[in-house]
Amino acid sequence: MSYHLTILRSTAGTQTLIPIDEVKTAAEALGWTMTGEPPMLWKESDDLQPVLLHYTDGELWTDDPQPQAIEQMLHLADALDARVRGDDFETYRTAVETYDHPDDRLLGDLAETRSQELLKADLRFEKMFRNGVVTFVVVLAIAAYFIGKHFEK
């Protein structure tokens, strides 16, 4: 599974969409190229690996970003009055420094709660399955015992 970084905009705990027109204007000003449907952005440089961003539902995102890609995303996010966030709800200040943005604390808490609920459900299923197998083996052993007794006579 890959790690995603997203350029998003939020205010007072609510995420707001970044209009494609704003993305296009900011991207062009910073030397990004936009193509495709759905729109994709990329930035190439002689000394850097190309950076590819996808635009979906008012956000820009990439997967498996390298530090130089994060730097480029931070420049674009600044131009969009947005921020760069990772899958673990950490917001990037630089390619290596992150912090917990106040707008994401509730999302992080909700994700943790959901994760715990899924874990509990998985453990319940595992316990039911294990108990079912043990019960089946015990019933099979009892049946084998009585069948064996029947043929002893």
Side-chain angles (χ1 to χ4, degrees), residues 101-129:
H101 192 279
D103 289 348
D104 294 335
R105 287 193 184 118
L106 178 60
L107 291 174
D109 292 345
L110 289 173
E112 181 64 29
T113 299
R114 180 67 180 134
S115 177
Q116 292 299 323
E117 289 170 358
L118 290 172
L119 182 60
K120 283 179 187 176
D122 190 47
L123 290 174
R124 275 194 302 267
F125 175 78
E126 186 178 311
K127 184 177 179 181
M128 281 181 19
F129 183 78

Side-chain angles (χ1 to χ4, degrees), residues 8 11 20 44 56 63 65 94 98 107 121 127-128 132 140 144 150:
L8 61 94
T11 306
I20 190 66
E44 294 188 46
T56 310
D63 55 354
T94 68
T98 63
L107 291 174
K127 184 177 179 181
M128 281 181 19
L140 195 59
H150 176 71

Side-chain angles (χ1 to χ4, degrees), residues 3-6 8 84-92 104:
Y3 194 79
H4 291 82
L5 284 186
T6 305
L8 61 94
V84 177
R85 182 178 74 189
D87 280 344
D88 294 327
F89 301 106
E90 77 282 16
T91 296
Y92 283 76
D104 294 335

Side-chain angles (χ1 to χ4, degrees), residues 2-7 23 27 31-45 48-56 59-74 76 84:
S2 61
Y3 194 79
H4 291 82
L5 284 186
T6 305
I7 296 176
V23 171
W32 290 76
T33 304
M34 181 180 285
T35 62
E37 195 60 44
M40 292 183 292
L41 298 169
W42 81 84
K43 185 163 189 179
E44 294 188 46
S45 174
L48 299 176
Q49 191 175 10
V51 179
L52 176 66
L53 299 178
H54 304 273
Y55 179 83
T56 310
E59 297 179 344
L60 292 157
W61 62 272
T62 191
D63 55 354
D64 292 329
Q66 300 300 313
Q68 57 89 14
I70 298 171
E71 288 295 333
Q72 296 299 321
M73 290 178 72
L74 286 165
L76 183 56
V84 177

